[in-house]
Amino acid sequence: MDVRAMHIANGIVNGPVSAIFAVFAVAALAYCVRRGRADLDERLAPMAGLVAAFIFAVQMLNFQVLPGVSGHLLGGTLAVILVGPWVGALCVSTVLIVQCLLFADGGLTALGLNITNMALLGTAAGYLLVVGLLKVFKNLGATALIASVVSVVVASQGFVLEYALGGTTSLSLSTIAGTMAGVHVLIGIGEGLIAATTVATVARVRPDLVYALRRFRTPAPVEVAA
Amino acid sequence: MKKKWFWFAGLFVALVLAGVVSNFASSSPDGLDAAARQGCTFNADDEITGGTCMAQQEKDHQLGGSPLADYGIKGIDNPYVSTGLAGVAGVLITFAIGGGLFWVARRRTHV
């Protein structure tokens, strides 16, 4: 069975704009390494490897969202909840780099674009939402669901921005933005269900491995909610 | 639940998802690909027959000849085996590279 290519291919966004985003991605990832090292202890490091492997696996599972249109998890929100924002962005990037270099998925020229959208924008949006929502709800699953939807839509609009700057075809930007946003709301709901199930499961069996439970909750002496 | 089991269980779930469940994934274009194809018409072989769309500008992948390209293993004809083994390879490679780099980069408590 054919698994389709899932990320931005070469040629859709021109070379100069792709190069600018590649430089941006490298700089941002270097910053993530610096910040992430503070989080990476002997418990988080293997968890981060597992999260990357899990995201790789789940990205292969395209689910139908409309007739003739599918989608797959991007993983930013899931990674933020389990390993934190900095290491989370590095996890998603690891997956994208492996997919690009070994599986010919996502153009090599487009790697910076794909990392910017899915690993950086998607994770950043997921992080802001998770931190905010966990102050309101106690429920990790509901937080994962809502944050995933927003994170996936934000990542999809990252592509729209890149296309606006360096698109190689002259198509209506508002049509592309609308199509991308609409489809990615649906994909985000699918991602959210997967992310919610995953984090709820990990929180039940090994709550000590869930970064969000250790770090994002207000440090008041509250009981652990399910 | 013994603490060590979590790691084996987690990796096992990832391997089953990538190795088995991946064969039941939808093969429709994903959201981005669908947007890229919007505006063009396609024939039965999925070749562009007219219109204007982003997909027309797509260029081949520089590493399209890689042995694992397109989530299959070159030389294995059975599509289920090919996709499944490529998925298993991907999970193990990602775990090894990711886990290895994160382990090397970790903060040492006593240094």
Side-chain angles (χ1 to χ4, degrees), chain B residues 6-77:
Chain B
F6 176 83
W7 304 105
F8 293 108
L11 203 53
F12 180 75
V13 169
L15 288 170
V16 170
L17 292 177
V20 182
V21 183
S22 59
N23 273 299
F24 302 96
S26 164
S27 55
S28 296
D30 72 8
L32 174 65
D33 201 13
R37 293 157 62 96
Q38 201 174 39
C40 285
T41 49
F42 292 82
N43 66 14
D45 291 330
D46 213 29
E47 287 155 353
I48 295 172
T49 52
T52 309
C53 63
M54 291 186 259
Q56 280 167 322
Q57 300 298 321
E58 276 183 22
K59 306 235 178 1
D60 285 341
H61 200 286
Q62 291 94 332
L63 304 166
S66 129
L68 289 168
D70 301 323
Y71 299 91
I73 294 189
K74 210 180 232 172
I76 295 184
D77 291 334

Side-chain angles (χ1 to χ4, degrees), chain A residues 1-12 33 37-54 56-64 66-72 87 90-91 94-95 98-109 114 159 163 168-171 175-176 179-180 183-184 187 201-202 205-206 208-209, chain B residues 1-4 6-7 10-15 17-19 21-39 46 52-72 78-80 83-84 86-95 97-109:
Chain A
M1 185 157 298
D2 250 17
V3 177
R4 281 186 169 269
M6 304 180 292
H7 308 316
I8 304 173
N10 288 327
I12 290 186
V33 170
R37 286 198 69 178
D39 289 337
L40 270 175
D41 55 20
E42 289 178 3
R43 187 167 47 171
L44 198 79
M47 186 60 181
L50 185 58
V51 166
F54 185 79
F56 177 92
V58 181
Q59 285 207 355
M60 286 182 77
L61 309 180
N62 281 56
F63 47 85
Q64 207 75 27
L66 288 171
V69 184
S70 72
H72 61 77
V87 176
L90 296 172
C91 283
T94 304
V95 173
V98 168
Q99 287 171 330
C100 173
L101 297 182
L102 295 177
F103 293 85
D105 183 13
L108 191 55
T109 315
N114 282 313
F159 169 76
Y163 183 82
T168 51
T169 35
S170 47
L171 295 163
T175 308
I176 294 172
T179 305
M180 286 294 281
V183 170
H184 284 86
I187 295 174
T201 306
V202 178
V205 296
R206 286 292 303 272
D208 61 308
L209 289 175
Chain B
M1 185 166 182
K2 265 186 140 178
K3 289 206 159 185
K4 243 190 286 182
F6 176 83
W7 304 105
L11 203 53
F12 180 75
V13 169
L15 288 170
L17 292 177
V21 183
S22 59
N23 273 299
F24 302 96
S26 164
S27 55
S28 296
D30 72 8
L32 174 65
D33 201 13
R37 293 157 62 96
Q38 201 174 39
D46 213 29
T52 309
C53 63
M54 291 186 259
Q56 280 167 322
Q57 300 298 321
E58 276 183 22
K59 306 235 178 1
D60 285 341
H61 200 286
Q62 291 94 332
L63 304 166
S66 129
L68 289 168
D70 301 323
Y71 299 91
N78 183 316
Y80 296 98
T83 300
V88 166
V91 166
L92 294 177
I93 291 167
T94 307
F95 183 66
I97 293 179
L101 290 176
F102 290 126
W103 188 255
V104 170
R106 80 188 186 282
R107 176 168 48 84
R108 267 77 162 181
T109 356

